Amino acid sequence: MWVSVALAGLVIGLALGALGGGGSILTVPALVYLLGQSPAQATSGSLVIVGVSAALGMAAHARAGKVRLAHGFVFGLLGTAGSLAGSRLSAQVPSHVLLSTFAALLFLVAVLMLRRARTPQLSLEASVGSPSGASAWSWSVPAVARVVLAATAVGLLTGFFGVGGGFAVVPALVLALGFEMPVAVGTSLLVIAINSA
């Protein structure tokens, strides 16, 4: 059993560090089905595992200059309220409902990933503006509203499912802030670490 746990941990760490998300989606099932934890225990445990892994991975991305610290802190702090609300709501939901909803979330993420994979890279870059990933922070009302809504939604998912929200943070950083993918991945790890704390 411990060999399976070690392999699962390795896969989770690789997914989180390389993609800026995804590791947490593997953590909850691993804790439930490999270690026999209840969904509630796995949800809480996942936050600790993902938070530590994200912080370590973020340090490597920061050394490579692929983390926007100010943007990541603001996005992460805005998501904290959603994370707290999600955690409280999760405690009130029966285990079988939590697992069923989590399975539905996995399906939705798979569909979104397939759609994104079919999107030509050129049109994606054109839709977010500068390919440099260092776009200026826009303080217009629509831009601020997008950031607040995206950060809150990501925090809510983080608290409710015990997932880091990287699968939502990366697209949010690309679409709301105009980051290129490598920068979005690195900054996502900072946001995940904050939301998981």
Side-chain angles (χ1 to χ4, degrees), residues 5-16:
V5 172
L7 288 174
L10 179 61
V11 171
I12 290 166
L14 287 173
L16 189 61

Side-chain angles (χ1 to χ4, degrees), residues 25-93:
I25 282 183
L26 303 174
T27 305
V28 172
L31 293 175
V32 170
Y33 297 110
L34 293 180
L35 294 181
Q37 294 186 2
S38 69
Q41 291 173 325
T43 297
S44 300
S46 174
L47 290 173
V48 176
I49 294 168
V50 169
V52 172
S53 300
L56 294 174
M58 186 269 298
H61 283 274
R63 285 194 295 272
K66 296 179 180 177
V67 177
R68 299 288 182 263
L69 293 175
H71 296 86
F73 274 114
V74 171
F75 199 95
L77 291 174
L78 285 172
T80 301
S83 182
L84 292 173
S87 297
R88 292 185 178 182
L89 183 60
S90 177
Q92 309 301 319
V93 176

Side-chain angles (χ1 to χ4, degrees), residues 168-184:
V169 175
V170 173
L173 292 176
V174 169
L175 297 176
L177 299 183
F179 286 178
E180 66 177 0
M181 281 300 295
V183 176

